[in-house]
Amino acid sequence: AFEWRMALAALVALIHDITITVGIYALVGFEVTPGTVIGLLTILGYSLYDTVVVFDSLKEGTKDITKQTRWTYSEIANRSINSTLVRSINTTVVALLPVAGLLFIGGGFLGAGMLNDISLSLFVGLAAGAYSSIFIATPLVADLKEREPAMKALKKRVLAKRAAAAAKGESADDGDAEHHGEPQDALPGGAAPAGAVVGQRGRGRPSGRRR
């Protein structure tokens, strides 16, 4: 469904999640049991699912990307993350709540060993999976895509267009600044309107101040 760059980024995110989970599991000193293996396999599927959701939004946003000159690939990737950020956070929090209950209540107070093994790996892996999908997988895809000649050419066009627009904006501001000191027609009753410069004459109109 996706290109090889997205597959590579997803695999890197999976390796990150497993490494973080196994590292914390080793620091805690829990024994590796079948429950640990079940937890690791579960977080692999969860992390991959969360990454696919972001990549699907990115794939939709970058369709016919070379036909426009408004956004670069990295900027569209950033917008894709923003569009799925609330969903990722909500899903992660909802998934972590019952796992935290299993870990701290079931394992801590009730002393269930199997619950400790599976809930710890799930708790760490779910948090690491949400992190990797946002901060590792998508930025890695953007970096890989930006190296393509087509994306480099697109970035040059986008930057050139923005530079031209900025230059036009500055000239327009300069032109507006020339008229900022011009007086405006006086309001009824001889009062000068807000922002009008009193005491100057221009284009044969009265300054609005009686002598």
Side-chain angles (χ1 to χ4, degrees):
F2 303 105
E3 55 182 305
W4 66 268
R5 295 170 185 83
M6 292 184 176
L8 177 61
L11 290 176
V12 171
L14 291 180
I15 295 174
H16 165 271
D17 299 338
I18 289 295
T19 303
I20 295 296
T21 305
V22 172
I24 294 181
Y25 204 89
L27 289 176
V28 174
F30 281 10
E31 181 183 358
V32 178
T33 62
T36 306
V37 178
I38 294 173
L40 293 176
L41 294 177
T42 304
I43 64 175
L44 286 180
Y46 177 86
S47 175
L48 188 61
Y49 169 75
D50 197 47
T51 304
V52 166
V53 171
V54 181
F55 283 176
D56 185 68
S57 176
L58 178 59
K59 181 180 178 181
E60 186 68 22
T62 55
K63 186 181 298 183
D64 299 330
I65 183 176
T66 56
K67 296 181 180 179
Q68 54 86 39
T69 56
R70 186 178 181 183
W71 309 103
T72 64
Y73 191 94
S74 297
E75 292 170 344
I76 295 179
N78 185 57
R79 293 167 62 89
S80 300
I81 293 177
N82 290 335
S83 63
T84 58
L85 184 61
V86 176
R87 175 259 167 211
S88 298
I89 294 177
N90 290 340
T91 304
T92 303
V93 171
V94 170
L96 285 177
L97 287 177
V99 175
L102 291 174
L103 177 62
F104 298 108
I105 298 178
F109 293 100
L110 302 180
M114 182 63 73
L115 288 180
N116 276 335
D117 298 335
I118 190 173
S119 58
L120 178 62
S121 58
L122 283 176
F123 187 83
V124 177
L126 291 177
Y131 174 88
S132 63
S133 299
I134 299 173
F135 296 102
I136 295 179
T138 308
L140 181 58
V141 171
D143 290 340
L144 293 175
K145 289 292 292 185
E146 289 287 359
R147 298 179 182 180
E148 293 183 356
M151 295 300 107
K152 290 181 179 179
L154 173 64
K155 186 175 182 179
K156 290 182 179 180
R157 294 198 304 268
V158 171
L159 295 179
K161 181 178 179 181
R162 291 178 182 175
K168 292 180 180 179
E170 292 176 1
S171 62
D173 293 339
D174 295 340
D176 294 339
E178 295 177 356
H179 300 289
H180 286 168
E182 292 184 3
Q184 302 181 21
D185 294 335
L187 296 176
V197 180
V198 181
Q200 296 182 359
R201 293 180 178 273
R203 298 181 180 178
R205 292 181 293 182
S207 62
R209 184 175 63 180
R210 298 181 180 180
R211 297 181 181 276

